[in-house]
Amino acid sequence: MRAVRYCEALTSATSFGWWLFAPIDLELLWDGTEVFWRCERAPEWMPLSPSAQLPDYAAEFDAVAPEALKGCSPPFLTALPEPGTVQIWTGLMAQTAADWHLLVRAPANMPPAGGICLFEGIVETDRWFGPLFTNMRLTRSHTPIRLRADYPLVQVQPVARHSYSNDTLDRMQLSSGLGEADWEAYRCSIVEPNSRPNRAFGGYATAARKGRHPCMRGQPAGAA
């Protein structure tokens, strides 16, 4: 709640994009060599060798797919060649507007599900249409790792193609010192506010929200 009231940087990062969840509750187990999995509808440990479907999903897919695509349902879990790494399908397909892509990553500012570490990836979903997967590394062995369908598994964030292009990133410059305008900006951001110990908290949050939301314009500085 303090972040929501006062730390707009944290709040903005947390709310940027969409949370995606595991389609079912499941458990993974890595014995150091092989990966096993189970769920409520299949409670016995099953080896992931190398992939598995959601329970009964293949039949559901074939019931609605065109004749030429029957039998082509995407796997739910896949054991990757690297030891202890797994690919999981979120159950979603994704498509974005031209020149917009999706950054798939761990949820921002949230404790991860225990025992996993997610890899990050940018998918060019404006030209590639298919299942939205994410890859994870299992970080503990010989102990079940639970993924819940009601807890965010990944966060997907829209990013413009040009924002991570070489043309954009190569324009970065380093300066060996601060100019007059920089020093003045530092004074306004850091020094001046700290000269008022009784100031209202949340000045940055209010200013940032005013810039995005016209309904907040006219509120006094420091209001949260």
Side-chain angles (χ1 to χ4, degrees), residues 190-203:
I190 304 299
V191 179
E192 193 282 328
N194 283 302
S195 69
R196 296 181 285 111
N198 296 322
R199 71 188 185 281
F201 292 141

Side-chain angles (χ1 to χ4, degrees), residues 36-96:
F36 301 82
W37 79 289
R38 67 182 180 184
C39 63
E40 182 178 358
R41 295 175 65 179
E44 300 297 324
W45 286 111
M46 298 171 287
L48 197 55
S49 55
S51 61
Q53 293 271 350
L54 279 166
D56 301 324
Y57 179 73
E60 295 181 18
F61 182 93
D62 289 349
V64 297
E67 190 64 31
L69 298 180
K70 294 184 185 300
C72 298
S73 58
F76 168 48
L77 293 170
T78 301
L80 300 178
E82 295 76 16
T85 58
V86 173
Q87 184 178 83
I88 180 172
W89 179 34
T90 59
L92 299 175
M93 308 282 188
Q95 189 173 49
T96 49

Side-chain angles (χ1 to χ4, degrees), residues 197-220:
N198 296 322
R199 71 188 185 281
F201 292 141
Y204 170 82
T206 300
R209 291 166 187 165
K210 282 183 179 179
R212 293 199 305 268
H213 305 296
C215 63
M216 293 193 64
R217 290 171 187 164
Q219 290 192 16

Side-chain angles (χ1 to χ4, degrees), residues 21-190:
F21 301 76
I24 60 171
D25 290 336
L26 72 145
E27 288 186 314
L28 298 169
L29 180 65
W30 179 39
D31 67 2
T33 302
E34 293 186 85
V35 177
F36 301 82
W37 79 289
R38 67 182 180 184
C39 63
E40 182 178 358
R41 295 175 65 179
E44 300 297 324
W45 286 111
M46 298 171 287
L48 197 55
S49 55
S51 61
Q53 293 271 350
L54 279 166
D56 301 324
Y57 179 73
E60 295 181 18
F61 182 93
D62 289 349
V64 297
E67 190 64 31
L69 298 180
K70 294 184 185 300
C72 298
S73 58
F76 168 48
L77 293 170
T78 301
L80 300 178
E82 295 76 16
T85 58
V86 173
Q87 184 178 83
I88 180 172
W89 179 34
T90 59
L92 299 175
M93 308 282 188
Q95 189 173 49
T96 49
D99 293 325
W100 284 88
H101 301 159
L102 288 180
L103 168 62
V104 185
R105 50 161 296 177
N109 302 315
M110 291 189 65
I116 64 171
C117 177
L118 266 65
F119 294 93
E120 296 192 11
I122 297 177
V123 186
E124 296 186 0
T125 42
D126 59 340
R127 66 172 185 84
W128 186 88
F129 180 78
L132 194 60
F133 295 99
T134 189
N135 298 331
M136 66 179 71
R137 179 169 58 89
L138 308 183
T139 59
R140 69 180 184 225
S141 62
H142 301 90
T143 304
I145 298 168
R146 184 186 178 199
L147 301 182
R148 292 166 35 193
D150 63 351
Y151 191 83
L153 175 65
V154 298
Q155 186 165 348
V156 293
Q157 300 172 324
V159 292
R161 179 193 298 271
H162 71 82
S163 66
Y164 67 96
S165 68
N166 288 337
D167 181 62
T168 298
L169 298 178
D170 288 345
R171 296 180 187 179
M172 185 271 295
Q173 295 181 348
L174 295 176
S175 175
S176 59
L178 300 181
E180 183 177 345
D182 299 322
W183 284 116
E184 176 59 19
Y186 180 84
R187 185 193 69 80
C188 293
S189 299
I190 304 299

